[in-house]
Amino acid sequence: MDQPGFTTSLVAGGVAGVSVDLILFPLDTIKTRLQSPQGFNKAGGFRGIYAGVPSAAIGSFPNAAAFFITYEYVKWFLHTDSSSYLMPAKHMLAASAGEVVACLIRVPSEVVKQRAQVSASLRTFQIFSNILYQEGIQGLYRGYKSTVLREIPFSLVQFPLWESLKALWSWRQDHVVDSWQSAVCGAFAGGFAAAVTTPLDVAKTRIMLAKAGSSTASGNVLSALHGVWRTQGLSGLFAGVFPRMAAISLGGFIFLGAYDQTRSLLLELGKESP
């Protein structure tokens, strides 16, 4: 991708990321409270549904930017012919690498945001200060491994399914899918990937919300999953699955719409500038 196109995609991706995170924040809060150890009502219920939104707003743009920088670089580094059967593998590797790097920004933002979502009476900056004072920098990265272990399987499910649905739709109508059809495929793929990776999301939430020094806070994903299974069974492992599916499916529509709109606007402005 040429430099102007790369910069445009970077900015457009950042704007789209912020749009998705802010618009769908209430659904994310509901999901977090459903997954919290103290239960939905004690975690705040439907009260203070925007608690923690400053953390999401601050982290969204650099998080999306880090993903797109890495994603585009890895695609360039692993350059293959567009007709190559290795193309899907290249996209999956690029997406996985992008998630690993983006999580360096996403996890501290997510830790502060989720604690604010279940402690609506505390301000976001107060929660951030408490984490640094009690646990240091490593406290902000609690749950990094569990987040990466959630995001990579999610990408490995979503990307091949999205491409397969687009190919099937193209074959049925005998021409390449339109952008809105691609968005529909992305929404279905994202929703399905969200559903099957919900147990990993539950483990990540429990690790991030656990009290400092507890066994869960150590970050062992299998131990966290076993703890949920032992106390709540299958329903606990899939707590918050419906708001998670709804948020990610709707997020596909909003992200693609905001991305295309912003990218078109930036390209148009680039043509008009001398």
Side-chain angles (χ1 to χ4, degrees):
M1 183 181 288
D2 62 345
Q3 190 62 35
F6 176 80
T7 304
T8 299
S9 296
L10 185 68
V11 175
V15 171
V18 172
S19 302
V20 170
D21 286 345
L22 296 185
I23 293 171
L24 299 179
F25 193 84
L27 278 173
D28 185 70
T29 300
I30 291 170
K31 182 215 72 172
T32 298
R33 291 175 179 176
L34 284 168
Q35 295 176 348
S36 65
Q38 65 263 51
F40 181 70
N41 290 325
K42 288 185 179 180
F46 291 103
R47 301 183 305 276
I49 211 76
Y50 278 95
V53 75
S55 178
I58 292 169
S60 290
F61 195 100
N63 166 46
F67 175 83
F68 275 99
I69 288 173
T70 309
Y71 183 71
E72 294 297 340
Y73 175 78
V74 173
K75 282 205 304 182
W76 169 81
F77 184 76
L78 299 173
H79 177 71
T80 56
D81 185 78
S82 59
S83 61
S84 172
Y85 65 93
L86 293 174
M87 186 64 73
K90 182 180 81 169
H91 288 159
M92 286 189 284
L93 281 171
S96 298
E99 295 291 1
V100 170
V101 174
C103 281
L104 293 171
I105 297 168
R106 183 182 305 149
V107 170
S109 171
E110 186 89 351
V111 169
V112 175
K113 180 199 74 177
Q114 290 204 316
R115 294 195 191 182
Q117 286 173 326
V118 299
S119 307
S121 59
L122 297 177
R123 293 182 177 275
T124 300
F125 183 74
Q126 185 180 354
I127 291 171
F128 174 74
S129 300
N130 288 344
I131 293 171
L132 284 179
Y133 178 74
Q134 295 172 7
E135 303 177 62
I137 293 294
Q138 64 266 33
L140 291 173
Y141 280 94
R142 188 203 292 180
Y144 177 81
K145 287 187 295 183
S146 60
T147 305
V148 170
L149 286 173
R150 177 197 66 176
E151 297 295 352
I152 290 180
F154 179 88
S155 295
L156 294 179
V157 172
Q158 184 189 37
F159 274 75
L161 182 57
W162 180 52
E163 294 290 353
S164 298
L165 289 172
K166 287 196 301 179
L168 178 62
W169 202 336
S170 298
W171 175 73
R172 289 291 296 272
Q173 65 185 9
D174 204 27
H175 65 79
V176 178
V177 293
D178 298 324
S179 57
W180 71 267
Q181 293 171 324
S182 176
V184 170
C185 293
F188 275 108
F192 180 78
V196 299
T197 56
T198 294
L200 295 172
D201 189 54
V202 171
K204 181 220 58 150
T205 298
R206 292 298 180 93
I207 290 168
M208 286 184 172
L209 296 180
K211 290 182 180 180
S214 66
S215 58
T216 306
S218 65
N220 188 309
V221 176
L222 290 177
S223 176
L225 288 171
H226 179 68
V228 175
W229 171 260
R230 191 176 64 249
T231 56
Q232 296 176 271
L234 191 63
S235 61
L237 291 175
F238 283 90
V241 62
F242 293 115
R244 174 169 159 78
M245 287 175 65
I248 292 177
S249 294
L250 289 171
F253 277 107
I254 297 169
F255 181 86
L256 288 168
Y259 179 81
D260 286 341
Q261 188 66 32
T262 306
R263 192 171 191 278
S264 298
L265 178 62
L266 291 173
L267 289 173
E268 194 63 34
L269 290 173
K271 290 177 182 178
E272 292 177 1
S273 60

